[in-house]
């Protein structure tokens, strides 16, 4: 691809010539890696859980962690995240508990979403992490409105919206980009270009030379960044955030990355793509890259691997164990939250369902 | 043969017969669709006739309308009925009205295939039954098979129909419903219901995936409650077969309507009103509706949400003892 792609870390973990590490907080650098690793281990464990038939479905982000963790960590905790379905890493960074996540996957009585949505569809008002829905692209214009609202109210927060390469084909993406440009919304549009939309490759999605370039037509900046380089994603997002906070409008960030796994547990990618392609991207794996960098900086070691893997493993195990013991939500939960109060006809319908239980 | 195979078979037969037929949609090409209904078709007919589109339902249906204007016969797939709404404007304002607004100068013979319904643990966005929106739209035909035989015969009839057709495939039983299907080309007339079970006490009306639940309920009602159900399988929801329904109601005097879509303004309401208009004096009891509640489709409690044989039998008993 002829596209300009910004990069700080080379695949083997060395800093590109002329580039600098964009932050001198070594604890935060280590955290970036720890979050990515945790994100991956959670995804792996939950995918297994689905195979064992203990949850119904799972969709993860293996290979795309840097684009998610790097971007969300460049924001303030008070900023708003408007995710699609692959950004559990962002929720983790914000403090979404693993236990609640597991409850959501089981759809049990302790799921904050009350077992109403399929796995990986959650949200948290407290964490300013907007509730996820499945329809591709709908979140983008909503995020523009959210950002416009923050601006109208004179608030200092900004918003980030996540979506895939496939989503840029939806009218909603174009409508949103146009609004964002017109209103100079304090918004970051982060496209995780993982090269595939289920079985449809990126070349089939758009004839544009890049996704980033699309922003130009809407009157704002679009930038391409190596989505497997957490430092480059971090720096690019931080700049876009500063710009948004200064009232200078939106930025489209195209994070070039790769969906290493299946689209979801319902998918079998061997039917439509070559293993070689997957392998070549695994060589540019975002975790491997950041780990090598940290080791070079003396910030990480084999011992730390062991220690942290153990810690994460136990945390996942513990959350799962507790969540799996929780029962399903009560039947009346079907009828609650449709409106602010339960209207008469729904009370009657609840009785009809109850009578035959 | 299962329903997926029957759909695939119908598509292949028609593509062989009619060189103007094309298939478009998300993942329908090389992959053969996320449910594999179009498997092997791109290989056989080429990328010009079976093609993946960018991810945009409005684009798929808008383009399908244009493909039809150019003289082709498009059969677009919408991956899940839950994702049809970005195309709603094109379906409701454009495809449905093309013939009417142009005084017949232009037409829109497209068949939109889409899997609908719950029971696959899909939550809000992989379970909806949106038939009522389309039945309500003048100019669209709405077809809903329940088994492989109907899937093949109705799909072939839909594609050959000169009107836009919404073809709702019962994904819950895509693979579970199996049956004998003739190898050859055949059609099932649109607008005609079938009697899926003979009976004399209550007319039980359903369509699509609910047929399986309803037949199960009818069997149990016979065996355990001594109630004999005449089961009407609608097959086509618009235009629907008033004659078959009324004949059955005149015989039984009692009606239970079942659908998994929410109740209010669901198709059951239209059926009920029609029966009241055409057969009021034959009724021995009010018309009962067993439907999904007026709530979004839940994830964990979907079996509680969906009409069950138990709920249907309760309605049958209520009707009998009214
Ligand atoms: C409106 C709509 N159409 C179709 C789907 C089915 N679907 C779910 S994800 C997906 C592909 C999305 O690709 P992309 O935007 O690249 O995101 P990725 O999954 O690769 O992260 C499709 C077609 C959907 N959820 N919503
Ligand atoms: Mg993608």
């Amino acid at each position: 691809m002829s596209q300009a792609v910004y990069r700080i870390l080379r695949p083997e973990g060395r800093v590109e010539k002329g580039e600098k590490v964009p932050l001198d907080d070594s604890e935060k650098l280590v955290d970036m890696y720890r979050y990515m690793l945790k994100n991956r281990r959670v995804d792996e464990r939950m995918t297994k859980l689905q195979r064992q038939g203990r949850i119904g479905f799972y969709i993860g982000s293996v290979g795309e962690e840097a684009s998610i963790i790097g971007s969300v960590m460049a924001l303030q905790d008070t900023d708003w995240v408007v995710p699609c379905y692959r950004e559990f890493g962002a929720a983790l960074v914000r403090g979404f508990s693993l236990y609640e996540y597991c409850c959501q996957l089981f759809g049990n009585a302790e799921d904050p979403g009350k077992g109403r949505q399929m796995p990986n569809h959650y949200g948290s008002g407290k964490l300013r992490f907007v509730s996820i829905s499945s329809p591709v692209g709908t979140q983008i214009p909503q995020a523009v409105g959210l950002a416009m609202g923050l601006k109208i109210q004179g608030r200092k927060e900004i918003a980030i919206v996540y979506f895939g390469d496939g989503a840029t084909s939806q009218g909603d993406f174009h409508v949103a980009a146009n609004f964002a440009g017109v209103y100079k919304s304090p918004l970051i549009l982060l496209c995780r270009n993982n090269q595939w939309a289920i079985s449809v490759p990126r070349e089939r999605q758009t004839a544009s030379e890049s996704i980033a370039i699309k922003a130009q037509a809407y009157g704002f900046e679009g930038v391409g960044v190596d989505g497997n380089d957490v430092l480059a994603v971090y720096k690019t997002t931080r700049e876009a955030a500063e710009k948004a906070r200064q009232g200078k409008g939106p930025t489209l960030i195209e994070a070039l990355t790769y969906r290493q796994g299946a689209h979801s547990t319902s998918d079998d990618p061997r039917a439509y793509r070559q293993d070689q392609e997957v392998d070549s991207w695994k060589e540019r794996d975002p975790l491997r890259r950041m780990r090598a960098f940290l080791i070079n900086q003396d910030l990480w070691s084999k011992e730390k691997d062991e220690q942290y893997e153990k810690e994460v493993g136990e945390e996942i195990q513990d959350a799962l164990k507790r969540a799996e013991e929780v029962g399903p939500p009560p039947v009346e939960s079907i009828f609650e939250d449709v409106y602010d109060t339960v209207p008469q006809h729904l009370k009657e319908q609840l009785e009809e369902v109850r009578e035959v239980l | 043969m299962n329903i997926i195979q029957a759909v695939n078979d119908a598509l292949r037969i028609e593509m062989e017969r009619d060189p103007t037929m094309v298939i478009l949609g998300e993942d329908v090409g090389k992959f053969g669709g996320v449910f594999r209904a179009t498997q092997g078709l791109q290989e056989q007919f080429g990328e010009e006739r079976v093609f993946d589109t960018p991810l945009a339902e409005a684009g798929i249906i808008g383009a399908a309308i244009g493909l039809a204007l150019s003289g082709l016969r498009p059969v677009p797939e919408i991956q899940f009925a839950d994702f049809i709404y970005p195309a709603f404007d094109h379906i409701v304002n454009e495809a449905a009205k093309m013939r009417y607004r142009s005084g017949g100068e232009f037409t829109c013979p497209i068949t939109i295939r889409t899997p609908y319904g719950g029971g696959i643990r899909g939550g809000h966005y992989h379970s909806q039954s949106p038939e009522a929106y389309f039945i309500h739209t003048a100019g669209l035909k709405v077809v809903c098979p329940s088994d492989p035989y109907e899937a093949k015969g109705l799909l072939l009839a839909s594609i050959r129909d000169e009107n836009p057709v919404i073809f709702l495939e019962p994904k819950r039983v895509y693979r579970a419903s199996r049956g004998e299907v003739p190898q050859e080309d055949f059609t099932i007339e649109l607008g005609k219901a079938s009697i899926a079970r003979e009976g004399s006490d209550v007319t039980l009306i359903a369509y699509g995936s609910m047929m399986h639940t309803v037949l199960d309920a009818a069997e149990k009602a016979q065996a355990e409650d001594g109630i004999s159900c005449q089961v009407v399988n609608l097959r086509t929801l618009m235009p629907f077969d008033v004659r078959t329904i009324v004949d059955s109601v005149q015989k039984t005097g009692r009606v239970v309507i079942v659908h998994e879509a929410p109740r209010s303004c669901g198709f059951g309401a239209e059926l009920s009103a029609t029966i009241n208009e055409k057969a009021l004096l034959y009724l021995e009891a009010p018309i009962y509706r067993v439907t999904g509640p007026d709530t979004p489709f839940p994830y964990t409690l979907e079996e509680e949400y969906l009409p069950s044989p138990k709920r249907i039998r309760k309605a049958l008993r209520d009707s009998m003892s009214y």
Side-chain angles (χ1 to χ4, degrees):
Chain A
M1 219 175 292
S2 57
Q3 173 179 15
V5 176
Y6 180 65
R7 185 152 86 188
I8 295 175
L9 281 186
R10 300 218 304 253
E12 72 282 3
R14 305 223 173 259
V15 175
E16 290 274 8
K17 263 209 193 90
E19 288 297 341
K20 281 201 317 238
V21 177
L23 71 172
D24 54 14
D25 177 345
S26 49
E27 205 174 314
K28 193 161 178 177
L29 286 169
V30 172
D31 273 350
M32 283 180 181
Y33 179 65
R34 286 159 58 102
Y35 278 124
M36 290 200 289
L37 188 70
K38 191 164 174 182
N39 189 358
R40 179 161 303 182
R41 294 295 175 257
V42 169
D43 282 347
E44 289 165 349
R45 186 75 186 86
M46 301 311 160
T47 302
K48 262 197 210 127
L49 208 66
Q50 193 279 340
R51 297 230 177 83
Q52 296 164 346
R54 287 155 71 190
I55 55 176
F57 172 86
Y58 194 76
I59 189 161
S61 56
V62 172
E64 304 178 50
E65 295 90 344
S67 67
I68 300 163
I69 305 292
S71 53
V72 79
M73 283 185 76
L75 303 180
Q76 313 278 324
D77 273 353
T78 45
D79 291 333
W80 294 72
V81 178
V82 188
C84 74
Y85 41 72
R86 256 190 238 289
E87 286 83 21
F88 173 61
L92 255 184
V93 171
R94 279 303 175 85
F96 200 81
S97 91
L98 210 47
Y99 172 67
E100 286 186 335
Y101 187 57
C102 293
C103 288
Q104 200 283 325
L105 299 176
F106 287 113
N108 68 28
E110 300 225 338
D111 163 19
K114 305 183 187 172
R116 296 194 182 114
Q117 284 224 76
M118 73 193 292
N120 303 94
H121 293 66
Y122 51 92
S124 166
K126 191 176 74 213
L127 302 177
R128 298 191 169 173
F129 189 94
V130 175
S131 171
I132 299 166
S133 83
S134 310
V136 167
T138 46
Q139 75 277 24
I140 317 172
Q142 294 169 15
V144 175
L146 176 54
M148 285 163 67
L150 296 171
K151 186 176 170 185
I152 290 168
Q153 295 169 75
R155 290 160 65 165
K156 281 281 156 269
E157 307 113 64
I158 62 163
I160 187 167
V161 58
Y162 290 94
F163 50 92
D165 42 305
T168 65
S169 295
Q170 286 284 19
D172 273 349
F173 166 78
H174 297 274
V175 163
N178 192 42
F179 269 53
V182 168
Y183 294 105
K184 281 195 182 301
S185 309
L187 178 69
I188 299 166
L189 297 105
L190 197 136
C191 178
R192 272 182 306 91
N193 175 2
N194 62 8
Q195 315 300 332
W196 291 90
I198 309 186
S199 75
V200 180
R202 145 71 181 82
E203 316 79 78
R204 286 296 177 106
Q205 209 57 249
T206 172
S208 289
E209 69 177 49
S210 75
I211 286 168
I213 199 175
K214 292 171 191 278
Q216 267 185 33
Y218 296 106
F220 59 93
E221 191 189 1
V223 292
V225 59
D226 184 333
N228 288 1
D229 173 355
V230 70
L231 297 183
V233 174
Y234 176 84
K235 185 172 170 211
T236 307
T237 311
R238 194 179 60 188
E239 284 169 5
E242 275 161 23
K243 193 171 102 187
R245 253 184 264 283
Q246 288 162 5
K248 292 180 185 158
T251 308
L252 170 62
I253 300 175
E254 175 184 6
L256 284 123
T257 179
Y258 193 76
R259 195 194 82 207
Q260 288 182 16
H263 170 74
S264 73
T265 52
S266 312
D267 178 42
D268 177 11
R270 279 168 308 182
Y272 54 78
R273 71 179 187 189
Q274 301 290 324
D275 285 347
Q276 287 134 291
E277 180 187 299
V278 182
D279 293 341
S280 84
W281 278 92
K282 281 186 179 165
E283 283 162 21
R284 287 171 273 168
D285 185 83
L287 271 66
R288 216 214 279 189
R289 190 182 305 197
M290 187 58 175
R291 182 175 173 276
F293 165 77
L294 292 175
I295 287 175
N296 288 343
Q297 306 281 311
D298 267 340
L299 293 170
W300 196 259
S301 61
K302 271 210 164 110
E303 296 73 61
K304 290 209 168 132
D305 277 337
E306 275 170 35
Q307 197 190 332
Y308 189 60
E309 292 277 8
K310 185 158 173 277
E311 193 182 307
V312 168
E314 284 169 4
E315 196 186 335
I316 296 172
Q317 198 47 33
D318 173 65
L320 265 182
K321 191 162 165 264
R322 284 194 294 140
E324 203 161 15
E325 280 162 12
V326 179
V331 69
E332 55 271 24
S333 78
I334 297 177
F335 298 87
E336 292 159 356
D337 299 321
V338 181
Y339 304 97
D340 57 344
T341 56
V342 181
Q344 186 55 30
H345 73 288
L346 289 187
K347 288 181 187 159
E348 288 169 16
Q349 291 179 13
L350 166 61
E351 283 321 306
E352 277 176 45
V353 171
R354 232 188 215 139
E355 267 174 35
V356 296
L357 285 183
Chain B
M1 195 180 270
N2 64 31
I3 294 180
I4 289 288
Q5 291 161 331
V7 166
N8 189 267
D9 190 33
L11 293 171
R12 177 173 284 113
I13 286 176
E14 193 58 9
M15 291 210 65
E16 276 167 356
R17 198 190 71 93
D18 177 1
T20 69
M21 180 177 149
V22 294
I23 291 175
L24 66 158
E26 293 158 11
D27 306 288
V28 301
K30 185 169 183 190
F31 191 34
V34 297
F35 290 102
R36 319 315 289 276
T38 55
Q39 193 162 18
L41 298 179
Q42 187 179 70
E43 212 177 329
Q44 186 176 345
F45 299 102
E47 289 187 30
E48 296 265 289
R49 292 187 65 198
V50 181
F51 50 93
D52 286 329
T53 65
L55 205 175
E57 287 74 12
I60 295 169
I61 303 303
I65 294 170
L67 288 162
L69 290 173
S70 83
L72 294 175
R73 193 153 285 243
V75 182
E77 174 181 297
I78 297 293
Q79 201 162 85
F80 284 84
D82 314 64
F83 304 136
I84 205 167
Y85 308 113
F88 203 62
D89 198 21
H90 284 287
I91 297 172
V92 170
N93 276 331
E94 304 298 326
K97 296 171 178 55
M98 187 62 80
R99 178 186 298 275
Y100 196 76
R101 79 181 190 211
S102 69
E105 287 287 310
F106 297 96
T107 62
C108 189
I110 68 177
T111 296
I112 303 173
R113 293 181 39 249
T114 188
Y116 87 97
I120 62 151
R121 288 183 70 74
H124 307 340
Y125 302 112
H126 298 79
S127 308
Q128 297 174 34
S129 297
E131 64 270 23
Y133 299 128
F134 302 112
I135 297 168
H136 190 63
T137 300
L140 300 177
K141 291 193 176 179
V142 182
V143 177
C144 188
S146 72
D147 64 21
Y149 170 75
E150 289 172 9
K152 180 170 175 181
L154 289 170
L155 183 53
L156 282 167
S158 297
I159 298 171
R160 291 172 194 171
D161 196 90
E162 292 305 321
N163 302 284
V165 177
I166 307 290
F167 193 82
L168 298 166
E169 298 175 359
K171 67 173 174 287
R172 179 186 206 171
V173 292
Y174 254 162
R175 292 196 162 77
S177 174
R178 306 185 67 90
E180 291 289 310
V181 179
Q183 287 289 317
E184 67 275 8
D185 182 343
F186 71 95
T187 57
I188 298 175
E189 192 183 344
L190 301 189
K192 286 272 184 298
S194 81
I195 301 295
R197 182 191 169 100
E198 284 296 347
S200 52
D201 294 330
V202 185
T203 297
L204 193 46
I205 307 175
Y207 49 92
S209 4
M210 269 298 129
M211 280 308 301
H212 302 267
T213 310
V214 157
L215 287 169
D216 182 21
E219 204 142 293
K220 288 183 175 134
Q222 180 78 63
E224 293 168 39
D225 310 320
I227 302 172
S228 161
C229 296
Q230 171 138 4
V231 178
V232 177
N233 172 4
L234 289 176
R235 291 181 169 173
T236 300
L237 312 186
M238 181 56 73
F240 62 98
D241 185 351
V242 179
R243 188 70 261 151
T244 298
I245 296 168
V246 169
D247 283 350
S248 177
V249 175
Q250 287 181 349
K251 183 165 105 178
T252 62
R254 297 171 200 278
V255 185
V256 173
I257 301 166
V258 182
H259 57 66
E260 60 179 274
R263 177 166 315 175
S264 294
C265 286
F267 189 42
E270 184 60 35
L271 292 169
S272 173
T274 303
I275 294 164
N276 277 323
E277 285 160 11
K278 308 266 182 194
L280 180 69
L281 296 180
Y282 293 88
L283 290 176
E284 311 272 353
I287 297 166
Y288 289 80
R289 283 180 288 166
V290 182
T291 68
D294 289 325
T295 75
F297 199 102
Y299 175 68
T300 302
L301 297 173
E302 72 173 340
E303 290 307 327
E304 286 75 4
Y305 179 96
L306 286 165
S308 60
K310 262 189 177 170
R311 257 168 77 198
I312 296 167
R313 282 173 60 197
K314 164 120 193 344
L316 291 169
R317 289 194 301 269
D318 288 349
S319 172
M320 289 304 290
S321 61
Y322 181 79

